[in-house]
Amino acid sequence: MRFEADVFFEFSKKLPTEAVESLTEFLEDANNSFLKKGVPEGKENEGTTIEEYQIQPEGVFLNLNSGRYVRAHTGIMRLNKELSTFLGKKYQLGVRRIEIQRFEITMELEEAPLEPMTLPFTDKIDFTGNQAHIILNPKDIDETALKKNYIDKLLNRMEEKIRTQSMGGKAAFSETVRRSEKKLDKYRIKIDPTEQAVGRGWVKEFPGAGVWTIMPPFTALIRAIEQLVIDKIIKPMGFVETIFPRLIPLEVERKKGQLAIPNELFWVCPPTSRNPKDFEEYVDYVEITGTTNPEMLQKMLRPPMFGLSYAQCEPFYEIFQKEIVDIDDLENNPIKFFDRNGPTWRWEGGGLKGLERLNEFHRIEFTYMSSPKKTIDIRDEILERSEKIINDIFDLEYRIDKTTAVYLEHAGATEKDETEEFVKTYDLTAILPFETASRPEAELEISSYHVHTDFYAGRFNFKDKANRDVWTGCVGIGPSRWAYVFVIRHGFDFEKWPNEIKKYIGDELPRTPQLVTWPKK
Amino acid sequence: MRFEADVFFEFSKKLPTEAVESLTEFLEDANNSFLKKGVPEGKENEGTTIEEYQIQPEGVFLNLNSGRYVRAHTGIMRLNKELSTFLGKKYQLGVRRIEIQRFEITMELEEAPLEPMTLPFTDKIDFTGNQAHIILNPKDIDETALKKNYIDKLLNRMEEKIRTQSMGGKAAFSETVRRSEKKLDKYRIKIDPTEQAVGRGWVKEFPGAGVWTIMPPFTALIRAIEQLVIDKIIKPMGFVETIFPRLIPLEVERKKGQLAIPNELFWVCPPTSRNPKDFEEYVDYVEITGTTNPEMLQKMLRPPMFGLSYAQCEPFYEIFQKEIVDIDDLENNPIKFFDRNGPTWRWEGGGLKGLERLNEFHRIEFTYMSSPKKTIDIRDEILERSEKIINDIFDLEYRIDKTTAVYLEHAGATEKDETEEFVKTYDLTAILPFETASRPEAELEISSYHVHTDFYAGRFNFKDKANRDVWTGCVGIGPSRWAYVFVIRHGFDFEKWPNEIKKYIGDELPRTPQLVTWPKK
C-alpha cells in the first residue's frame, strides 16, 4: 500500500530569506521525527517521507510518499500543525492554505473486483488483478476531507463494494433451522384473499397503490392480533410501551444505516416557507384547473428533512445517543420497549396488487438492550413465543430461517465473522397455498428477530461505564401481515375462527356499512 | 359582464371556393340559433354574438362578444362542434385547431378588492373601483382550458380572493358560547411543563424540532386518556374502529381542500427508481463523508406523490367516492368511524420548543355521516361527552367557542351563509396559567367539533339514492395534547392523579430506565 502526494503549503505572508536554512533543517528533521511517530520498529518506510521539497517565499512545495503507517494524508495534517507552530514562533507567520496538487494510492486487495466501479473524490480507478491504483481528484481533497479522513473511508468503501460484488445478496446466508408439520390442506382459502377482502368491504383501495383503508372487520382482526401479542409476549416478558416518532431526521437514518438504501424509503420535504403568499400561484392553479400538478409543487419544497420511518426502531438507538449505561443494571433489568404507534413505510414501487406487500403497513416493534447473553436470550424468547402463537393458535404451516441480518447490510457492513456462535437474525415465514401477487413465492415472511451485537452502540455512540459490551436487538411483528395469513388459514367466517382470537372481538365481528353501491357482496 | 374574443378555427384541409357562401350563411345563422340557445328571453345580447368574421381557405377568423349567458368561451365550444358537423357532412373537412388570439373580460364586482392580485392564465388584471378588466394570456387558453372551463373557475377564484381580502382571518367569526368556572388556582403546574418532562425523562427530544420520542410514563398517560375516550365517548356512542391511511395521494388532498394550504403540510416524495445502482454515488458520498447531503438526495426524488395526513379524516370521504347511499339507512344507522392509527402531521416550522405544539402529534379522529339533523346531533353529543371529561375528570378551566370551520377555508370556500341556524364548528380550549412557548396565549385549543353540511359529498361526489342531503362531520381529540394539559392541572406525581385515569395505568406508572447519564433528575 503506497500513498504519493504533491502538496503546497501556502504561507500567510512572505518567508524571510534568513528563514530558509532553519526551515530546511525542520523538513529534514521531520522525516525522522513526527512523520514516523507511532510507526512500528523496522517499518520506518511505511511512515510518511518527504522525498522532495522546494522552499519558496510564498510557501513550500512537498513531494510525500508513505506506506500504511502515518499515511501521507496523516503526514500532511501533522506537517500542517508542526509547520504552523515552528513558523509562528520563529517568524510570526502561519500556513494559510494547503493545496493538494496530486494524490495517488496503490494498494493490494484481498480479492480482485468482479466489475469496475466509480467512487467520489476520484479522477481514476484502475484495477490490475489484485492491485488497485487510485488517482484522487486534488480539488476535492480540501481540509475537511483531510481532517475527517475521507481518504481512508474511501478505501474502506472500495473494499466493501468489492466484497459486496463477490458475495451477492442476502440469500446466500439463509438456512432453514426448523419447519412446522405440513398443514396446507387445512387452509380455508387457497388463493390470494385480496379480491375477496375487497369484495366484502374488509378493505378499500386508496388511490396510492399499496395503501389501503382498513374497514371495521379487518381492523377488528388486526387489533385482536395486537392484543394477543400483548398478552402472550409483551406482558409476560415485561416490555413497556413507548411512542416512537415516524419522521426520522436524515442524520438518524444515516446512523441507522437507512441512507445506504435511499431507493427503498419515502422522503419527506417541508415547504420552502410557511407564508401562504409564496404558494398563491400554485393554489390558484389547483383551484382553477382542478388538477394537482406535482411538478409545480415540487419546486416549492425544501430538500428532504426526514425519511419516513422504515425500520420503526430508529428512534430507540437515538434515545441513547452519547449516553452512558451501566451494564450491571441492564443485565438485571434489560431495557425492553415496544412501539405500536401507527404505520411504517417502504417504497415497494407503484405496482403493488395484493394485501401481503404494502407501501404503508403496521408492525409491533420490540427493541431491547442488555449484555450480549441477555440480548440473545430476549430475542430467542420472543421467537419462541411467536412460534407458539403461529403454531398453536394460528395453526399455520411455517418455517424458521437463520440469515444475515438485513440491518447490517443496510448499514453498509457485511458479514465478516461467520464463525460467531449465535444467530444474528431469524426470519419466520408462513407457507401459503398460492404464489403471492408481488413475488413468485408461495410463502410470506411475517416477522424477523434480530441481535445487533454492539453495532448500534458504535453507530449511535453509547457505551457502558466500564466499556463492557452493550448489545441491542429488535423484533418486528406485523399485525396486518399476521392478519393476512390468519385469514388464509381460517377464512372470512368469524364463527369458524379460533376462540383465542374471537374472545378479543366479542360476539360478532364489526361490520362495514352496506351502501347502495358498496360493498358488492 | 362582457367577454370579447378573437378566435381562429383552423381547417383540416383547404376550404373549397364553392363553400364560402354556405359557410357565410352558417355563421349568420349561428347568431340566432345555437349561440343563443338557453338565453332567457329579452337577454339575447347576453348570449354569444359573432361581431365579425373573415373566411379564408385555411380557416375562419371570428370576433366574438358575449354577456353572462352562453359566454364567449362556451360559444367557442359550441361553434367548434357545430362547425365540425357542418363542414364534415358537406365538405369532408373538420376543425384541426382552435387558436385563441385575444380574450378579454370586463366584469362588475360585488366589492372592490383591497389590494392587487395575480392570477394564472392572465396577462393583465386591472381594477377600477368595482370593475375588473382581465386580459387572458391567449397561449394558455387551449382546448383543455376551454373544455374544463378554466375561465369561469378563474373568475370564481378572483371573487373568492377578493372576499378573503375583505374578511381577513378566521378570528372574526369566533365567539365564546360558554366557559367553565375559574380553576387556575387548582393547577399544580404554573409554568410550561416541557422542561420538567424532559428532565424527568418523560419525553426525549428528537433531532427534528417538534418531534419527540415519548417515554414509558408519558406513553402510559396518553394510552390511559385514549382508553378513557373509548369508554366515555366511543363505546357508548357506537363508534367503530377503522384504520385510515397516512399517505394521502395529492388528488385526495385536493378534494379534501388541503392543496389550498401547501405551506402547512409535509410532502412525501418516493425515489426516482428502485434500483440501488442509481443511488450509488449518493451512498458512496454518505459513507465516505459521514454527512447526509439533502440537496444531493433531493435530485433523486420524484415530485411529491402524497401529503402526510394533515386532517386525519381525508380517507373517510374517499371511501365513499362515487358511491350511492340510502339516507333512510343512515338516519337509523349513521356511519360512525374512529381512527387512532398513529400520528398525523402539520408543518409548524423548525423552531418549535414546547410539547404543546408539534410537527408530529396524536389524535383520535371521529368521522360520521348521516342526515343533517343526525349529523348535528352526533357532533353535539361528542362535544357534550368531551366537556364532561374535561370538566369532571380533568377538572380544567376551559372555554367553548363557535367559529367558522377551518376546513371550509382550507377547501377554498368561505362562509357565505352566516344565518344558518346551527353551528358548524366548536373549539374546546383549555385555559393555562402561562403563555405557551409557541404563541403569546395562555390557552391551548385541545379539540374541535365539525359539521361539514354536504360539502364533502359534493367534493368527493357521493350522494343519496333520492338526492336527499348527505352530511358529514368530524371531531379530532388529541390524546397527546390532552395529556399535556392534564399534567399541568394534576402534576407529575402519579399518586395525586384522579382515579379515573389511574385505573387504566395500574398500581404505578411505568418508569423510564435510569442510565448513568440520563434522566438528569
Side-chain angles (χ1 to χ4, degrees):
Chain A
M1 185 183 240
R2 298 305 303 173
F3 297 82
E4 260 192 85
D6 295 338
V7 198
F8 184 71
F9 288 86
E10 189 185 311
F11 301 144
S12 56
K13 56 182 190 186
K14 279 206 175 175
L15 188 76
T17 325
E18 69 271 21
V20 174
E21 199 183 320
S22 65
L23 179 54
T24 306
E25 232 168 74
F26 170 88
L27 294 172
E28 293 285 351
D29 180 59
N31 269 341
N32 299 312
S33 60
F34 63 83
L35 291 180
K36 298 291 187 300
K37 200 178 163 196
V39 175
E41 235 182 85
K43 301 266 188 183
E44 283 73 15
N45 78 330
E46 296 276 327
T48 294
T49 301
I50 302 172
E51 300 280 353
E52 282 177 47
Y53 56 86
Q54 263 182 286
I55 299 172
Q56 294 163 7
E58 294 75 23
V60 57
F61 166 85
L62 302 173
N63 170 260
L64 304 173
N65 191 316
S66 85
R68 83 172 50 243
Y69 301 105
V70 192
R71 298 175 181 197
H73 40 290
T74 308
I76 292 168
M77 293 313 287
R78 289 189 185 178
L79 272 161
N80 183 41
K81 192 180 157 216
E82 300 290 339
L83 198 54
S84 299
T85 311
F86 169 76
L87 294 172
K89 268 193 198 144
K90 271 193 112 165
Y91 307 103
Q92 290 75 50
L93 60 82
V95 175
R96 171 185 293 149
R97 200 170 62 90
I98 304 174
E99 184 189 297
I100 305 289
Q101 295 174 342
R102 185 176 65 94
F103 205 115
E104 301 192 24
I105 305 159
T106 312
M107 72 184 282
E108 298 298 316
L109 303 166
E110 279 180 38
E111 47 186 328
L114 300 180
E115 44 184 290
M117 69 174 70
T118 59
L119 280 168
F121 308 111
T122 58
D123 274 343
K124 203 172 171 194
I125 309 170
D126 279 328
F127 296 109
T128 318
N130 273 34
Q131 182 161 291
H133 178 227
I134 301 149
I135 304 178
L136 299 183
N137 179 346
K139 289 204 186 80
D140 284 348
I141 310 302
D142 55 12
E143 280 196 57
T144 306
L146 290 167
K147 268 187 203 155
K148 295 197 153 187
N149 203 6
Y150 289 180
I151 296 172
D152 288 341
K153 286 178 185 162
L154 185 139
L155 298 179
N156 291 344
R157 179 74 182 152
M158 181 181 72
E159 292 192 290
E160 194 183 298
K161 286 169 91 163
I162 293 171
R163 273 198 304 274
T164 307
Q165 284 178 3
S166 78
M167 290 201 334
K170 155 188 168 184
F173 292 92
S174 185
E175 189 186 322
T176 298
V177 294
R178 58 185 178 272
R179 286 175 190 279
S180 72
E181 55 185 283
K182 299 278 178 206
K183 298 187 191 172
L184 282 186
D185 57 341
K186 291 191 195 174
Y187 283 38
R188 292 223 169 84
I189 294 187
K190 310 287 189 190
I191 56 165
D192 186 333
T194 304
E195 202 179 319
Q196 242 194 101
V198 173
R200 289 169 179 268
W202 282 36
V203 293
K204 194 155 192 186
E205 197 166 12
F206 214 45
V211 182
W212 298 77
T213 300
I214 301 178
M215 301 301 291
F218 206 48
T219 299
L221 175 59
I222 288 171
R223 290 293 182 208
I225 290 171
E226 187 179 298
Q227 210 50 55
L228 182 73
V229 170
I230 288 173
D231 284 349
K232 299 286 184 189
I233 306 179
I234 287 169
K235 277 189 188 163
M237 289 187 69
F239 275 84
V240 181
E241 186 169 7
T242 48
I243 295 181
F244 285 163
R246 291 300 188 255
L247 289 183
I248 313 297
L250 255 56
E251 174 61 10
V252 178
E253 292 289 31
R254 187 191 69 75
K255 287 181 287 186
K256 175 60 177 65
Q258 250 55 67
L259 286 199
I261 47 163
N263 55 312
E264 293 187 25
L265 273 73
F266 287 103
W267 300 100
V268 180
C269 304
T272 45
S273 139
R274 287 258 309 152
N275 185 353
K277 273 276 169 204
D278 297 339
F279 297 85
E280 199 173 329
E281 196 186 336
Y282 176 68
V283 176
D284 287 342
Y285 186 92
V286 167
E287 294 293 327
I288 292 167
T289 66
T291 60
T292 61
N293 204 337
E295 292 75 16
M296 190 173 174
L297 179 56
Q298 186 177 31
K299 294 197 187 94
M300 295 178 294
L301 302 186
R302 300 190 192 190
M305 186 179 273
F306 303 98
L308 270 186
S309 182
Y310 175 97
Q312 197 161 336
C313 57
E314 292 100 328
F316 179 67
Y317 319 106
E318 182 68 21
I319 293 172
F320 305 101
Q321 165 83 11
K322 293 188 184 162
E323 303 290 0
I324 295 168
V325 303
D326 181 343
I327 211 71
D328 291 326
D329 284 356
L330 296 190
E331 173 77 28
N332 297 324
N333 287 304
I335 294 173
K336 289 188 271 187
F337 291 157
F338 78 98
D339 170 87
R340 50 166 174 155
N341 168 38
T344 54
W345 300 266
R346 296 193 174 180
W347 172 240
E348 300 269 4
L352 295 181
K353 283 173 184 162
L355 275 174
E356 83 288 356
R357 195 169 298 274
L358 303 171
N359 283 322
E360 173 172 309
F361 57 95
H362 297 83
R363 178 168 51 185
I364 301 172
E365 183 76 4
F366 298 76
T367 50
Y368 35 95
M369 181 192 294
S370 187
S371 64
K373 165 105 183 41
K374 245 335 184 345
T375 304
I376 295 169
D377 286 352
I378 293 167
R379 191 271 314 271
D380 289 351
E381 186 178 342
I382 305 173
L383 173 61
E384 198 179 290
R385 288 173 176 273
S386 306
E387 200 179 343
K388 214 169 147 56
I389 294 174
I390 292 301
N391 193 52
D392 299 356
I393 300 175
F394 280 40
D395 196 25
L396 283 164
E397 185 172 326
Y398 66 89
R399 187 180 78 226
I400 292 171
D401 299 331
K402 60 178 187 185
T403 168
T404 306
V406 176
Y407 63 92
L408 283 175
E409 292 179 358
H410 289 168
T414 42
E415 199 78 341
K416 285 178 197 163
D417 183 359
E418 289 174 69
T419 63
E420 283 176 357
E421 282 179 24
F422 66 95
V423 172
K424 283 188 180 164
T425 292
Y426 290 109
D427 286 334
L428 172 55
T429 298
I431 311 300
L432 304 177
F434 56 86
E435 284 191 359
T436 61
S438 53
R439 290 191 186 173
E441 298 171 342
E443 59 178 53
L444 189 64
E445 186 195 308
I446 59 170
S447 36
S448 55
Y449 306 80
H450 307 277
V451 165
H452 313 135
T453 71
D454 60 354
F455 186 74
Y456 287 121
R459 299 277 291 197
F460 286 82
N461 198 16
F462 51 84
K463 55 186 179 192
D464 170 56
K465 64 177 188 179
N467 270 318
R468 292 163 295 186
D469 272 349
V470 182
W471 281 31
T472 61
C474 71
V475 166
I477 288 181
S480 46
R481 236 180 218 197
W482 282 34
Y484 174 85
V485 296
F486 177 91
V487 159
I488 294 166
R489 167 65 187 81
H490 295 283
F492 286 93
D493 182 358
F494 178 70
E495 292 307 317
K496 294 183 178 153
W497 289 2
N499 286 326
E500 291 94 332
I501 288 291
K502 282 163 78 176
K503 74 172 182 187
Y504 293 111
I505 297 173
D507 292 337
E508 56 179 23
L509 203 56
R511 275 172 310 167
T512 295
Q514 180 65 55
L515 315 180
V516 175
T517 44
W518 184 79
K520 304 289 182 197
K521 51 177 175 181
Chain B
M1 184 182 238
R2 300 304 303 174
F3 297 83
E4 262 192 82
D6 294 337
V7 199
F8 184 71
F9 289 86
E10 188 184 312
F11 301 144
S12 57
K13 57 183 189 188
K14 278 204 175 174
L15 188 76
T17 325
E18 68 271 23
V20 172
E21 201 184 317
S22 65
L23 179 53
T24 304
E25 232 169 73
F26 169 89
L27 293 173
E28 293 285 352
D29 180 56
N31 269 341
N32 301 311
S33 59
F34 62 84
L35 291 181
K36 299 290 187 299
K37 202 178 159 195
V39 175
E41 238 183 84
K43 301 266 189 184
E44 283 73 15
N45 80 330
E46 297 275 325
T48 295
T49 301
I50 303 172
E51 300 282 354
E52 283 178 44
Y53 56 86
Q54 262 181 285
I55 298 172
Q56 296 162 6
E58 295 77 22
V60 57
F61 166 85
L62 302 172
N63 170 260
L64 305 173
N65 192 316
S66 86
R68 80 172 50 240
Y69 301 105
V70 191
R71 300 175 179 196
H73 40 287
T74 308
I76 291 168
M77 293 314 287
R78 289 190 185 176
L79 272 162
N80 183 41
K81 191 180 158 217
E82 299 292 339
L83 197 57
S84 299
T85 311
F86 167 77
L87 294 171
K89 266 193 198 142
K90 273 192 111 162
Y91 308 104
Q92 290 77 52
L93 59 84
V95 174
R96 174 184 293 151
R97 202 170 61 90
I98 303 173
E99 184 188 298
I100 305 289
Q101 294 174 343
R102 185 176 66 94
F103 204 114
E104 301 192 22
I105 305 159
T106 313
M107 72 184 282
E108 299 297 315
L109 302 166
E110 280 181 38
E111 46 186 329
L114 299 181
E115 44 183 290
M117 69 173 69
T118 59
L119 280 169
F121 306 112
T122 58
D123 274 345
K124 205 173 172 192
I125 310 170
D126 280 327
F127 296 109
T128 320
N130 272 34
Q131 182 161 290
H133 179 227
I134 300 149
I135 304 177
L136 298 183
N137 178 348
K139 291 206 184 79
D140 283 348
I141 311 302
D142 56 11
E143 281 196 55
T144 306
L146 290 165
K147 267 187 201 155
K148 296 199 153 183
N149 202 8
Y150 289 0
I151 296 171
D152 287 342
K153 286 179 184 160
L154 185 138
L155 299 179
N156 291 343
R157 179 74 182 152
M158 181 181 69
E159 292 192 288
E160 194 183 296
K161 286 170 92 163
I162 293 169
R163 272 198 305 275
T164 306
Q165 285 177 1
S166 77
M167 290 203 333
K170 154 189 167 183
F173 291 92
S174 185
E175 189 187 321
T176 298
V177 294
R178 57 184 178 274
R179 287 175 190 277
S180 72
E181 53 184 288
K182 300 280 178 206
K183 298 189 194 173
L184 282 185
D185 56 343
K186 291 192 197 173
Y187 284 36
R188 292 224 169 83
I189 295 186
K190 309 286 188 190
I191 55 165
D192 186 333
T194 303
E195 203 180 317
Q196 239 195 102
V198 173
R200 288 169 180 268
W202 282 36
V203 294
K204 194 154 192 187
E205 196 165 12
F206 214 44
V211 181
W212 297 77
T213 299
I214 301 177
M215 301 302 291
F218 206 48
T219 299
L221 174 59
I222 288 171
R223 290 293 182 208
I225 291 171
E226 185 179 301
Q227 209 52 53
L228 182 73
V229 170
I230 288 173
D231 283 350
K232 299 287 183 189
I233 307 179
I234 288 169
K235 278 189 186 162
M237 290 189 68
F239 275 84
V240 180
E241 186 170 6
T242 48
I243 295 180
F244 285 162
R246 292 298 187 259
L247 290 182
I248 313 297
L250 255 56
E251 175 59 11
V252 178
E253 293 288 32
R254 188 190 67 75
K255 287 181 287 188
K256 174 59 178 63
Q258 250 56 68
L259 285 200
I261 45 164
N263 55 313
E264 293 188 24
L265 273 74
F266 286 103
W267 299 100
V268 180
C269 305
T272 45
S273 138
R274 286 261 306 154
N275 185 353
K277 273 275 169 203
D278 297 339
F279 297 84
E280 198 174 327
E281 197 186 336
Y282 177 68
V283 177
D284 288 342
Y285 186 92
V286 167
E287 294 292 328
I288 292 167
T289 66
T291 60
T292 62
N293 204 336
E295 292 74 17
M296 190 173 174
L297 179 57
Q298 186 177 31
K299 295 198 186 91
M300 297 179 292
L301 302 185
R302 301 190 192 193
M305 186 178 272
F306 303 99
L308 270 188
S309 183
Y310 174 97
Q312 197 160 336
C313 57
E314 293 100 326
F316 179 66
Y317 320 105
E318 182 68 21
I319 293 171
F320 305 100
Q321 164 81 10
K322 291 187 185 165
E323 304 290 1
I324 295 168
V325 303
D326 182 342
I327 211 71
D328 292 328
D329 284 356
L330 296 191
E331 173 75 28
N332 298 324
N333 288 303
I335 294 173
K336 290 187 270 189
F337 291 158
F338 77 98
D339 170 86
R340 49 163 175 159
N341 169 37
T344 53
W345 300 266
R346 294 192 175 181
W347 172 239
E348 300 268 4
L352 296 182
K353 283 176 185 161
L355 274 173
E356 83 288 356
R357 194 167 299 275
L358 303 170
N359 282 321
E360 173 171 308
F361 57 95
H362 297 83
R363 179 168 50 186
I364 302 173
E365 182 76 2
F366 298 76
T367 51
Y368 35 96
M369 181 191 295
S370 188
S371 64
K373 165 104 183 44
K374 245 337 186 341
T375 303
I376 295 169
D377 287 350
I378 293 167
R379 190 271 313 268
D380 290 349
E381 187 178 342
I382 304 174
L383 173 62
E384 198 179 292
R385 287 173 177 274
S386 306
E387 201 180 341
K388 217 170 143 55
I389 295 174
I390 292 302
N391 193 51
D392 299 355
I393 300 175
F394 279 44
D395 196 23
L396 284 164
E397 184 172 327
Y398 66 89
R399 184 182 77 228
I400 292 171
D401 299 329
K402 61 179 187 185
T403 169
T404 307
V406 176
Y407 64 90
L408 284 173
E409 292 180 353
H410 289 169
T414 42
E415 199 79 343
K416 284 179 200 164
D417 183 0
E418 289 174 66
T419 64
E420 282 176 357
E421 282 178 23
F422 65 95
V423 172
K424 283 187 180 165
T425 292
Y426 290 110
D427 286 335
L428 173 55
T429 298
I431 311 300
L432 304 178
F434 56 86
E435 285 192 359
T436 61
S438 52
R439 289 190 186 174
E441 298 170 342
E443 59 179 53
L444 188 65
E445 185 196 308
I446 59 170
S447 37
S448 56
Y449 306 80
H450 306 277
V451 165
H452 313 134
T453 72
D454 60 354
F455 185 75
Y456 288 120
R459 298 278 292 197
F460 286 83
N461 199 16
F462 51 86
K463 55 185 177 194
D464 170 56
K465 64 177 188 180
N467 270 319
R468 293 164 294 186
D469 272 351
V470 183
W471 281 30
T472 61
C474 70
V475 167
I477 288 180
S480 45
R481 236 180 219 200
W482 283 33
Y484 174 83
V485 294
F486 178 90
V487 161
I488 294 166
R489 167 65 186 84
H490 294 283
F492 285 95
D493 182 359
F494 178 71
E495 290 310 317
K496 296 185 179 152
W497 289 2
N499 286 327
E500 291 92 334
I501 288 291
K502 281 163 78 177
K503 74 174 183 188
Y504 294 112
I505 295 173
D507 292 337
E508 56 179 25
L509 202 57
R511 275 174 308 167
T512 295
Q514 179 64 56
L515 315 180
V516 175
T517 45
W518 184 80
K520 304 286 181 198
K521 52 178 174 181

